[in-house]
Amino acid sequence: AYLGAGYTHEEGRYAEPIRKAIDWLIAQQREDGYLGGGATYYDQMYCHGIATYALAEAYGMQTDPAKYPTLRDAVTRGVWYIIETQNEDGGWRYRKGASLS
């Protein structure tokens, strides 16, 4: 909500809570890039996508992308997880490796 209103982690009234939220999300990320935390079976990919989007938005709003390398790393790993979990038919299921049948 803060990012959507134009606030960032770099400056302004909400910089500190935004940065804490970003750091918290990054700390939750697994080694393979997954950001969905303890989401249940049907929520895993949705949660991962939303968290990746939030970090990517924060990264894109920075004035200097080189200033917060851990954020860039987290976004990169989150996007790679999305790419790696795409099924052969071009879509995604509730979790990696799930099929329609």
XYZ file of all heavy atoms in Angstrom:
805
model
N 0.823 -1.193 0.000
C 0.000 0.000 0.000
C 0.869 1.259 0.000
O 0.580 2.213 -0.709
C -0.931 -0.003 1.195
N 1.940 1.255 0.794
C 2.814 2.427 0.834
C 3.490 2.660 -0.511
O 3.572 3.787 -0.996
C 3.885 2.279 1.909
C 3.366 2.347 3.328
C 3.722 1.386 4.258
C 2.541 3.379 3.741
C 3.257 1.439 5.562
C 2.074 3.441 5.043
C 2.438 2.475 5.942
O 1.976 2.531 7.233
N 3.979 1.590 -1.122
C 4.629 1.730 -2.426
C 3.635 2.235 -3.459
O 3.964 3.108 -4.271
C 5.227 0.390 -2.871
C 6.350 -0.174 -2.007
C 6.725 -1.573 -2.479
C 7.570 0.731 -2.015
N 2.434 1.702 -3.427
C 1.396 2.131 -4.360
C 1.032 3.599 -4.201
O 0.605 4.252 -5.154
N 1.221 4.130 -3.006
C 0.948 5.545 -2.745
C 2.157 6.421 -3.061
O 2.112 7.633 -2.871
C 0.527 5.737 -1.293
N 3.254 5.792 -3.516
C 4.435 6.555 -3.920
C 5.526 6.669 -2.879
O 6.550 7.304 -3.117
N 5.332 6.062 -1.711
C 6.374 6.087 -0.688
C 7.404 5.004 -0.980
O 7.081 3.977 -1.574
C 5.766 5.851 0.702
C 4.804 6.929 1.132
C 3.431 6.716 1.061
C 5.264 8.155 1.595
C 2.543 7.696 1.446
C 4.375 9.143 1.987
C 3.014 8.910 1.906
O 2.141 9.895 2.289
N 8.646 5.227 -0.558
C 9.693 4.228 -0.772
C 10.471 3.986 0.511
O 10.302 4.707 1.500
C 10.696 4.661 -1.863
O 11.543 5.693 -1.356
C 9.991 5.121 -3.125
N 11.365 3.026 0.432
C 12.237 2.701 1.564
C 13.437 3.651 1.643
O 14.210 3.581 2.573
C 12.733 1.258 1.441
C 13.500 1.007 0.191
N 12.877 0.800 -1.026
C 14.817 0.941 -0.041
C 13.795 0.609 -1.942
N 14.984 0.691 -1.377
N 13.572 4.519 0.681
C 14.737 5.411 0.640
C 14.550 6.701 1.438
O 15.510 7.206 2.012
C 15.063 5.772 -0.811
C 15.546 4.583 -1.597
C 15.918 4.943 -3.007
O 15.129 5.652 -3.682
O 16.996 4.523 -3.442
N 13.345 7.235 1.421
C 13.117 8.496 2.128
C 11.626 8.691 2.382
O 10.802 7.995 1.822
C 13.647 9.680 1.310
C 12.936 9.854 -0.021
C 13.500 10.989 -0.843
O 14.370 11.714 -0.357
O 13.046 11.148 -1.983
N 11.331 9.630 3.229
C 9.941 9.961 3.477
C 9.411 9.411 4.786
O 10.091 8.714 5.533
N 8.167 9.713 5.002
C 7.484 9.421 6.258
C 7.480 7.929 6.616
O 7.558 7.570 7.781
C 6.060 9.939 6.128
C 5.224 9.772 7.324
C 3.885 10.411 7.092
N 3.039 10.233 8.254
C 1.799 10.644 8.313
N 1.260 11.271 7.294
N 1.096 10.445 9.395
N 7.390 7.059 5.632
C 7.251 5.628 5.894
C 8.477 4.818 5.473
O 8.401 3.594 5.369
C 6.005 5.092 5.190
C 4.750 5.798 5.624
C 4.101 6.692 4.777
C 4.213 5.585 6.888
C 2.945 7.346 5.175
C 3.066 6.241 7.304
C 2.435 7.125 6.440
O 1.298 7.773 6.851
N 9.594 5.479 5.269
C 10.791 4.784 4.798
C 11.214 3.642 5.716
O 11.529 2.542 5.245
C 11.947 5.773 4.615
N 11.213 3.880 7.014
C 11.664 2.843 7.950
C 10.746 1.619 7.962
O 11.233 0.483 7.829
C 11.823 3.400 9.363
C 12.394 2.370 10.314
C 12.605 2.914 11.718
O 12.596 4.142 11.912
O 12.760 2.084 12.623
N 9.422 1.775 8.094
C 8.587 0.571 8.070
C 8.618 -0.159 6.724
O 8.540 -1.394 6.684
C 7.176 1.068 8.384
C 7.235 2.535 8.463
C 8.660 2.968 8.450
N 8.775 0.581 5.642
C 8.866 -0.066 4.328
C 10.150 -0.875 4.245
O 10.141 -2.022 3.799
C 8.793 0.972 3.186
C 7.411 1.628 3.149
C 9.114 0.318 1.846
C 7.325 2.839 2.249
N 11.241 -0.306 4.699
C 12.515 -1.030 4.658
C 12.456 -2.276 5.557
O 12.968 -3.336 5.199
C 13.671 -0.133 5.065
C 15.012 -0.831 4.899
C 16.153 0.188 4.908
N 17.412 -0.474 4.714
C 18.055 -0.554 3.560
N 17.549 -0.005 2.496
N 19.201 -1.177 3.466
N 11.826 -2.155 6.716
C 11.678 -3.310 7.602
C 10.850 -4.404 6.922
O 11.155 -5.588 7.049
C 11.030 -2.900 8.926
C 11.968 -2.180 9.855
C 11.264 -1.844 11.163
C 12.181 -1.138 12.124
N 11.513 -0.819 13.397
N 9.809 -4.017 6.223
C 8.968 -4.995 5.518
C 9.756 -5.683 4.408
O 9.673 -6.909 4.234
C 7.731 -4.309 4.949
N 10.538 -4.911 3.671
C 11.375 -5.486 2.612
C 12.380 -6.459 3.218
O 12.545 -7.578 2.720
C 12.090 -4.368 1.823
C 11.080 -3.565 0.999
C 13.188 -4.955 0.923
C 11.647 -2.278 0.421
N 13.040 -6.041 4.263
C 14.033 -6.910 4.914
C 13.385 -8.188 5.444
O 13.971 -9.267 5.369
C 14.747 -6.167 6.049
C 15.690 -5.097 5.537
O 16.083 -5.123 4.351
O 16.050 -4.208 6.350
N 12.167 -8.076 5.968
C 11.465 -9.244 6.476
C 11.160 -10.213 5.340
O 11.384 -11.417 5.460
C 10.183 -8.835 7.195
C 9.485 -10.010 7.801
C 9.710 -10.555 9.032
C 8.460 -10.807 7.187
N 8.882 -11.645 9.219
C 8.107 -11.819 8.102
C 7.803 -10.754 5.961
C 7.132 -12.769 7.835
C 6.833 -11.704 5.687
C 6.510 -12.690 6.623
N 10.644 -9.685 4.227
C 10.352 -10.552 3.087
C 11.613 -11.256 2.592
O 11.607 -12.459 2.328
C 9.739 -9.747 1.936
C 8.249 -9.505 1.974
C 7.830 -8.565 0.855
C 7.477 -10.802 1.898
N 12.701 -10.509 2.488
C 13.961 -11.094 2.029
C 14.420 -12.192 2.983
O 14.894 -13.247 2.554
C 15.043 -10.009 1.852
C 14.664 -9.089 0.680
C 16.418 -10.624 1.640
C 15.537 -7.844 0.551
N 14.257 -11.976 4.274
C 14.670 -12.971 5.273
C 13.844 -14.255 5.179
O 14.311 -15.319 5.575
C 14.566 -12.381 6.684
N 12.624 -14.170 4.643
C 11.761 -15.339 4.500
C 12.096 -16.165 3.267
O 11.647 -17.308 3.140
C 10.284 -14.912 4.408
C 9.792 -14.044 5.528
C 10.131 -14.570 6.900
O 9.769 -15.685 7.248
N 10.843 -13.779 7.678
N 12.849 -15.594 2.343
C 13.109 -16.268 1.072
C 13.963 -17.515 1.257
O 14.987 -17.493 1.925
C 13.789 -15.309 0.094
C 13.844 -15.845 -1.323
C 14.321 -14.791 -2.297
O 15.226 -14.019 -2.002
N 13.705 -14.764 -3.467
N 13.523 -18.598 0.636
C 14.288 -19.832 0.682
C 15.461 -19.753 -0.291
O 15.519 -18.882 -1.162
C 13.407 -21.024 0.286
C 12.353 -21.355 1.283
C 11.624 -22.657 1.003
N 11.419 -22.996 -0.396
C 10.398 -23.710 -0.858
N 9.479 -24.160 -0.033
N 10.289 -23.994 -2.141
N 16.364 -20.681 -0.151
C 17.552 -20.754 -1.010
C 17.183 -20.844 -2.494
O 17.855 -20.274 -3.348
C 18.408 -21.963 -0.608
C 19.716 -22.062 -1.330
C 20.705 -20.972 -0.954
O 20.650 -20.484 0.184
O 21.531 -20.610 -1.823
N 16.095 -21.549 -2.799
C 15.681 -21.723 -4.199
C 14.928 -20.517 -4.752
O 14.512 -20.510 -5.903
C 14.860 -22.996 -4.373
C 13.530 -22.979 -3.624
O 13.226 -21.989 -2.927
O 12.793 -23.972 -3.728
N 14.732 -19.477 -3.943
C 14.075 -18.259 -4.393
C 12.630 -18.126 -3.977
O 12.026 -17.057 -4.122
N 12.036 -19.183 -3.452
C 10.628 -19.176 -3.068
C 10.362 -18.175 -1.948
O 11.070 -18.132 -0.955
C 10.217 -20.589 -2.626
C 8.796 -20.697 -2.148
C 7.730 -20.603 -3.035
C 8.513 -20.917 -0.809
C 6.430 -20.721 -2.594
C 7.211 -21.039 -0.362
C 6.172 -20.940 -1.254
O 4.885 -21.059 -0.813
N 9.291 -17.391 -2.122
C 8.926 -16.350 -1.161
C 7.547 -16.556 -0.529
O 7.024 -15.645 0.100
C 8.936 -14.981 -1.857
C 10.299 -14.363 -2.095
C 10.227 -13.317 -3.197
C 10.818 -13.752 -0.808
N 6.968 -17.726 -0.682
C 5.609 -17.948 -0.196
C 5.487 -18.329 1.262
O 4.387 -18.563 1.750
N 6.607 -18.405 1.964
C 6.565 -18.726 3.389
C 5.891 -20.051 3.663
O 6.101 -21.020 2.958
N 5.041 -20.080 4.670
C 4.354 -21.302 5.066
C 2.979 -21.439 4.435
O 2.088 -22.043 5.022
N 2.805 -20.907 3.246
C 1.508 -20.962 2.578
C 1.049 -22.404 2.380
O 1.869 -23.298 2.192
C 1.583 -20.255 1.224
N -0.251 -22.595 2.414
C -0.803 -23.929 2.191
C -0.725 -24.293 0.712
O -0.431 -23.448 -0.140
C -2.270 -23.998 2.661
O -3.040 -23.087 1.871
C -2.390 -23.656 4.128
N -1.028 -25.538 0.418
C -0.896 -26.081 -0.942
C -1.512 -25.171 -1.999
O -0.882 -24.863 -3.002
C -1.552 -27.469 -0.990
C -1.495 -28.103 -2.349
C -0.343 -28.739 -2.788
C -2.595 -28.060 -3.201
C -0.291 -29.323 -4.042
C -2.542 -28.638 -4.455
C -1.390 -29.269 -4.868
O -1.333 -29.843 -6.111
N -2.739 -24.731 -1.819
C -3.439 -23.945 -2.830
C -3.012 -22.479 -2.870
O -3.404 -21.746 -3.769
C -4.955 -24.040 -2.642
C -5.463 -25.435 -2.865
C -5.873 -26.220 -1.805
C -5.501 -25.972 -4.145
C -6.330 -27.517 -2.021
C -5.950 -27.265 -4.369
C -6.366 -28.029 -3.304
O -6.806 -29.308 -3.517
N -2.224 -22.047 -1.924
C -1.814 -20.643 -1.854
C -0.356 -20.403 -2.224
O 0.057 -19.257 -2.359
C -2.029 -20.106 -0.429
C -3.472 -20.182 0.009
O -4.366 -20.082 -0.849
O -3.701 -20.351 1.219
N 0.438 -21.439 -2.360
C 1.889 -21.284 -2.498
C 2.306 -20.374 -3.643
O 3.057 -19.427 -3.433
C 2.546 -22.649 -2.640
C 2.487 -23.456 -1.377
C 3.037 -24.855 -1.547
O 3.456 -25.254 -2.630
N 3.039 -25.622 -0.471
N 1.864 -20.646 -4.847
C 2.319 -19.848 -5.989
C 1.736 -18.436 -5.959
O 2.393 -17.490 -6.378
C 1.999 -20.549 -7.310
C 2.819 -21.815 -7.526
S 4.627 -21.578 -7.389
C 4.964 -20.580 -8.822
N 0.510 -18.304 -5.451
C -0.082 -16.971 -5.337
C 0.730 -16.108 -4.362
O 1.062 -14.956 -4.653
C -1.534 -17.052 -4.859
C -2.448 -17.743 -5.821
C -2.944 -19.007 -5.528
C -2.814 -17.147 -7.025
C -3.792 -19.659 -6.416
C -3.651 -17.790 -7.911
C -4.142 -19.047 -7.607
O -4.970 -19.687 -8.474
N 1.042 -16.666 -3.206
C 1.820 -15.934 -2.204
C 3.208 -15.583 -2.731
O 3.692 -14.474 -2.530
C 1.919 -16.738 -0.910
S 0.347 -16.879 -0.043
N 3.821 -16.538 -3.404
C 5.145 -16.265 -3.975
C 5.070 -15.125 -4.988
O 5.892 -14.213 -4.965
C 5.734 -17.515 -4.642
C 6.994 -17.222 -5.362
N 8.203 -17.027 -4.693
C 7.258 -17.025 -6.675
C 9.144 -16.727 -5.592
N 8.583 -16.731 -6.790
N 4.085 -15.172 -5.859
C 3.946 -14.135 -6.881
C 3.723 -12.751 -6.293
O 4.338 -11.768 -6.725
N 2.878 -12.658 -5.289
C 2.586 -11.367 -4.661
C 3.828 -10.820 -3.960
O 4.144 -9.632 -4.063
C 1.401 -11.499 -3.689
C 0.123 -11.749 -4.476
C 1.266 -10.266 -2.803
C -1.055 -12.205 -3.638
N 4.546 -11.680 -3.246
C 5.756 -11.236 -2.549
C 6.836 -10.814 -3.537
O 7.518 -9.804 -3.331
C 6.279 -12.342 -1.632
N 6.987 -11.569 -4.626
C 7.968 -11.208 -5.652
C 7.607 -9.872 -6.280
O 8.467 -9.011 -6.494
C 8.063 -12.307 -6.730
O 8.401 -13.547 -6.108
C 9.104 -11.973 -7.776
N 6.329 -9.674 -6.557
C 5.860 -8.417 -7.139
C 6.155 -7.236 -6.203
O 6.615 -6.179 -6.656
C 4.354 -8.501 -7.422
C 3.829 -7.311 -8.173
C 3.790 -7.302 -9.552
C 3.368 -6.187 -7.492
C 3.312 -6.202 -10.244
C 2.891 -5.083 -8.169
C 2.867 -5.098 -9.555
O 2.406 -4.010 -10.231
N 5.909 -7.421 -4.921
C 6.156 -6.343 -3.949
C 7.639 -5.968 -3.925
O 7.986 -4.774 -3.929
C 5.695 -6.765 -2.560
N 8.512 -6.967 -3.905
C 9.953 -6.676 -3.894
C 10.387 -6.030 -5.206
O 11.209 -5.108 -5.211
C 10.757 -7.946 -3.636
C 10.615 -8.557 -2.241
C 11.430 -9.840 -2.132
C 11.033 -7.561 -1.163
N 9.834 -6.495 -6.323
C 10.188 -5.912 -7.621
C 9.726 -4.455 -7.713
O 10.429 -3.603 -8.269
C 9.573 -6.734 -8.747
N 8.562 -4.170 -7.152
C 8.074 -2.793 -7.141
C 8.999 -1.894 -6.326
O 9.362 -0.799 -6.758
C 6.655 -2.737 -6.590
C 6.038 -1.349 -6.668
C 4.582 -1.329 -6.243
O 4.107 -2.284 -5.600
O 3.919 -0.326 -6.544
N 9.412 -2.359 -5.161
C 10.336 -1.582 -4.328
C 11.663 -1.369 -5.056
O 12.220 -0.275 -5.044
C 10.574 -2.291 -2.995
N 12.141 -2.422 -5.702
C 13.395 -2.320 -6.453
C 13.266 -1.304 -7.589
O 14.138 -0.468 -7.796
C 13.791 -3.688 -7.007
C 15.046 -3.650 -7.822
C 16.287 -3.489 -7.220
C 14.998 -3.758 -9.204
C 17.444 -3.444 -7.974
C 16.152 -3.714 -9.964
C 17.370 -3.556 -9.343
O 18.518 -3.494 -10.092
N 12.167 -1.354 -8.299
C 11.949 -0.446 -9.428
C 11.761 1.002 -9.028
O 11.982 1.906 -9.837
N 11.370 1.242 -7.791
C 11.146 2.610 -7.333
C 12.398 3.264 -6.764
O 12.385 4.458 -6.454
C 10.032 2.624 -6.277
C 8.670 2.283 -6.854
S 7.377 2.177 -5.597
C 7.162 3.915 -5.196
N 13.476 2.512 -6.640
C 14.720 3.075 -6.090
C 15.313 4.121 -7.033
O 15.203 3.993 -8.243
C 15.779 1.979 -5.904
C 15.433 0.968 -4.877
C 16.556 -0.029 -4.706
O 17.116 -0.081 -3.639
N 16.876 -0.777 -5.719
N 15.971 5.099 -6.455
C 16.662 6.079 -7.293
C 17.993 5.528 -7.779
O 18.456 5.892 -8.851
C 16.904 7.400 -6.519
O 17.601 7.097 -5.308
C 15.598 8.089 -6.210
N 18.602 4.637 -7.002
C 19.877 4.017 -7.378
C 19.780 2.515 -7.148
O 19.925 2.044 -6.026
C 21.020 4.614 -6.541
C 22.374 4.012 -6.853
O 22.474 3.181 -7.795
O 23.342 4.359 -6.160
N 19.542 1.736 -8.205
C 19.375 0.287 -8.061
C 20.575 -0.431 -7.444
O 20.429 -1.508 -6.886
C 19.138 -0.193 -9.490
C 18.704 0.998 -10.242
C 19.345 2.173 -9.563
N 21.736 0.156 -7.507
C 22.937 -0.473 -6.951
C 23.031 -0.299 -5.440
O 23.853 -0.939 -4.789
C 24.184 0.111 -7.618
N 22.189 0.536 -4.880
C 22.278 0.880 -3.458
C 21.836 -0.239 -2.518
O 22.255 -0.296 -1.372
C 21.429 2.132 -3.215
C 21.620 2.752 -1.861
C 20.858 4.051 -1.773
C 21.097 4.724 -0.450
N 20.343 5.964 -0.332
N 21.006 -1.156 -2.971
C 20.414 -2.189 -2.115
C 20.556 -3.536 -2.825
O 19.581 -4.112 -3.295
C 18.948 -1.823 -1.908
C 18.222 -2.414 -0.738
C 16.940 -1.963 -0.442
C 18.744 -3.419 0.066
C 16.205 -2.481 0.613
C 18.029 -3.940 1.126
C 16.754 -3.473 1.387
O 16.027 -3.993 2.429
N 21.774 -4.068 -2.895
C 22.012 -5.293 -3.676
C 21.243 -6.514 -3.181
O 20.908 -7.392 -3.978
C 23.521 -5.501 -3.588
C 23.979 -4.682 -2.444
C 22.993 -3.565 -2.275
N 20.944 -6.581 -1.895
C 20.187 -7.739 -1.411
C 18.756 -7.735 -1.957
O 18.169 -8.791 -2.176
C 20.156 -7.808 0.134
O 19.660 -6.575 0.645
C 21.529 -8.080 0.702
N 18.216 -6.555 -2.198
C 16.886 -6.444 -2.790
C 16.924 -6.938 -4.231
O 16.082 -7.722 -4.656
C 16.374 -5.008 -2.710
C 15.012 -4.720 -3.349
C 13.927 -5.633 -2.788
C 14.648 -3.254 -3.156
N 17.908 -6.515 -4.974
C 18.043 -6.966 -6.368
C 18.205 -8.487 -6.418
O 17.585 -9.166 -7.237
C 19.226 -6.300 -7.040
C 19.420 -6.786 -8.450
C 20.651 -6.226 -9.094
N 20.851 -6.896 -10.359
C 21.468 -6.363 -11.381
N 21.952 -5.155 -11.305
N 21.620 -7.041 -12.492
N 19.012 -9.020 -5.540
C 19.232 -10.461 -5.459
C 17.931 -11.212 -5.187
O 17.645 -12.235 -5.817
C 20.204 -10.748 -4.312
C 21.446 -11.439 -4.754
O 21.759 -11.421 -5.953
O 22.098 -12.018 -3.859
N 17.164 -10.715 -4.235
C 15.904 -11.360 -3.873
C 14.919 -11.342 -5.036
O 14.239 -12.345 -5.300
C 15.292 -10.685 -2.642
N 14.843 -10.233 -5.734
C 13.946 -10.133 -6.889
C 14.390 -11.111 -7.978
O 13.574 -11.857 -8.528
C 13.896 -8.688 -7.436
C 13.150 -8.634 -8.762
C 13.261 -7.746 -6.426
N 15.672 -11.140 -8.249
C 16.205 -12.040 -9.278
C 15.887 -13.490 -8.953
O 15.398 -14.248 -9.796
C 17.728 -11.848 -9.426
O 17.985 -10.482 -9.777
C 18.305 -12.769 -10.477
N 16.133 -13.885 -7.711
C 15.867 -15.269 -7.312
C 14.372 -15.584 -7.329
O 13.955 -16.680 -7.697
C 16.470 -15.554 -5.950
C 17.982 -15.539 -5.992
C 18.630 -15.855 -4.692
N 17.662 -15.821 -3.595
C 17.929 -16.118 -2.354
N 19.128 -16.468 -2.009
N 17.033 -16.055 -1.414
N 13.547 -14.608 -6.949
C 12.099 -14.803 -6.992
C 11.589 -14.991 -8.410
O 10.747 -15.858 -8.676
N 12.106 -14.205 -9.330
C 11.707 -14.331 -10.737
C 12.191 -15.660 -11.307
O 11.456 -16.342 -12.030
C 12.215 -13.135 -11.562
C 12.029 -13.371 -13.054
C 11.504 -11.854 -11.134
N 13.409 -16.046 -10.977
C 13.913 -17.339 -11.455
C 13.069 -18.490 -10.934
O 12.842 -19.469 -11.640
C 15.391 -17.534 -11.091
C 16.280 -16.947 -12.134
C 17.067 -15.837 -12.017
C 16.460 -17.408 -13.479
N 17.706 -15.588 -13.195
C 17.357 -16.536 -14.114
C 15.935 -18.471 -14.208
C 17.740 -16.702 -15.441
C 16.323 -18.630 -15.534
C 17.206 -17.762 -16.125
N 12.584 -18.383 -9.716
C 11.710 -19.432 -9.186
C 10.440 -19.526 -10.030
O 9.972 -20.619 -10.341
C 11.360 -19.167 -7.714
C 10.594 -20.303 -7.090
C 11.260 -21.392 -6.556
C 9.200 -20.303 -7.057
C 10.565 -22.458 -5.991
C 8.495 -21.359 -6.499
C 9.192 -22.429 -5.970
O 8.501 -23.481 -5.422
N 9.884 -18.397 -10.403
C 8.689 -18.380 -11.249
C 8.986 -19.047 -12.593
O 8.213 -19.871 -13.078
C 8.174 -16.938 -11.439
C 7.627 -16.401 -10.111
C 7.110 -16.868 -12.538
C 7.334 -14.917 -10.100
N 10.106 -18.711 -13.176
C 10.489 -19.299 -14.468
C 10.667 -20.813 -14.335
O 10.194 -21.587 -15.170
C 11.778 -18.637 -15.001
C 11.492 -17.179 -15.386
C 12.357 -19.420 -16.177
C 12.741 -16.352 -15.625
N 11.347 -21.227 -13.283
C 11.640 -22.650 -13.089
C 10.408 -23.489 -12.766
O 10.417 -24.703 -12.974
C 12.683 -22.827 -11.975
C 14.056 -22.327 -12.356
C 14.671 -23.095 -13.515
O 14.575 -24.328 -13.542
O 15.224 -22.440 -14.420
N 9.354 -22.882 -12.256
C 8.167 -23.652 -11.890
C 7.086 -23.638 -12.965
O 6.032 -24.244 -12.787
C 7.564 -23.146 -10.560
O 7.271 -21.751 -10.685
C 8.507 -23.390 -9.402
N 7.355 -22.981 -14.079
C 6.381 -22.969 -15.169
C 6.274 -24.371 -15.773
O 7.281 -25.033 -16.024
C 6.782 -21.968 -16.239
C 5.743 -21.803 -17.322
C 6.102 -20.685 -18.286
O 7.248 -20.254 -18.363
N 5.120 -20.221 -19.028
N 5.054 -24.813 -15.994
C 4.821 -26.137 -16.559
C 5.049 -26.134 -18.063
O 5.069 -25.070 -18.701
C 3.403 -26.607 -16.253
C 3.232 -26.950 -14.803
O 4.167 -26.889 -14.017
N 2.027 -27.318 -14.422
N 5.168 -27.327 -18.637
C 5.401 -27.468 -20.072
C 4.283 -26.858 -20.905
O 4.507 -26.443 -22.034
C 5.581 -28.941 -20.426
C 6.886 -29.512 -19.913
C 7.064 -30.971 -20.271
O 6.298 -31.503 -21.112
O 7.973 -31.590 -19.708
N 3.065 -26.802 -20.368
C 1.945 -26.224 -21.117
C 1.931 -24.696 -21.050
O 1.055 -24.049 -21.606
C 0.611 -26.797 -20.633
C 0.267 -26.415 -19.198
O 1.011 -25.642 -18.563
O -0.770 -26.899 -18.702
N 2.906 -24.117 -20.353
C 3.023 -22.661 -20.281
C 2.404 -22.037 -19.055
O 2.572 -20.851 -18.799
N 1.684 -22.812 -18.263
C 1.017 -22.277 -17.079
C 1.716 -22.684 -15.798
O 2.797 -23.259 -15.807
N 1.052 -22.377 -14.700
C 1.545 -22.731 -13.376
C 0.456 -23.457 -12.637
O -0.731 -23.232 -12.877
C 1.958 -21.480 -12.597
C 3.200 -20.856 -13.101
C 4.464 -21.038 -12.616
C 3.327 -19.942 -14.184
N 5.367 -20.310 -13.350
C 4.697 -19.621 -14.327
C 2.435 -19.367 -15.088
C 5.174 -18.763 -15.294
C 2.913 -18.512 -16.061
C 4.269 -18.216 -16.149
N 0.823 -24.300 -11.723
C -0.136 -24.996 -10.873
C 0.019 -24.458 -9.451
O 0.734 -23.504 -9.218
C 0.097 -26.512 -10.919
C 0.008 -27.094 -12.318
C -1.414 -26.998 -12.882
N -1.410 -27.343 -14.295
C -1.564 -26.446 -15.272
N -1.761 -25.182 -15.025
N -1.569 -26.836 -16.519
N -0.632 -25.107 -8.511
C -0.595 -24.616 -7.142
C 0.775 -24.701 -6.518
O 1.099 -23.988 -5.582
C -1.616 -25.359 -6.278
C -3.029 -25.034 -6.677
C -3.864 -26.015 -7.177
C -3.513 -23.735 -6.561
C -5.168 -25.710 -7.554
C -4.799 -23.420 -6.930
C -5.630 -24.411 -7.429
O -6.913 -24.100 -7.786
N 1.612 -25.605 -7.030
C 2.983 -25.686 -6.554
C 3.825 -26.343 -7.642
O 3.299 -26.940 -8.578
C 3.089 -26.449 -5.246
C 2.721 -27.897 -5.349
C 2.948 -28.612 -4.056
N 2.503 -29.983 -4.259
C 2.502 -30.888 -3.342
N 2.927 -30.602 -2.142
N 2.098 -32.089 -3.601
N 5.115 -26.284 -7.487
C 6.045 -26.812 -8.475
C 5.805 -28.306 -8.706
O 5.674 -29.078 -7.753
C 7.482 -26.599 -7.991
C 8.527 -27.043 -8.970
C 9.908 -26.727 -8.457
C 10.956 -27.145 -9.475
N 12.300 -26.791 -9.057
N 5.739 -28.680 -9.973
C 5.605 -30.078 -10.334
C 4.198 -30.628 -10.335
O 3.980 -31.766 -10.752
N 3.201 -29.863 -9.890
C 1.820 -30.353 -9.881
C 1.296 -30.419 -11.310
O 1.703 -29.640 -12.171
C 0.945 -29.425 -9.040
N 0.399 -31.346 -11.579
C -0.144 -31.495 -12.921
C -1.666 -31.373 -12.890
O -2.287 -31.396 -11.826
C 0.275 -32.828 -13.529
O -0.330 -33.888 -12.811
N -2.264 -31.293 -14.075
C -3.717 -31.200 -14.178
C -4.401 -32.514 -13.845
O -5.542 -32.532 -13.398
C -4.112 -30.780 -15.595
C -3.855 -29.320 -15.940
C -4.120 -29.075 -17.422
C -4.714 -28.412 -15.095
N -3.731 -33.618 -14.060
C -4.378 -34.913 -13.836
C -4.149 -35.458 -12.457
O -3.459 -35.018 -11.654
C -3.891 -35.928 -14.852
O -2.492 -35.961 -14.922
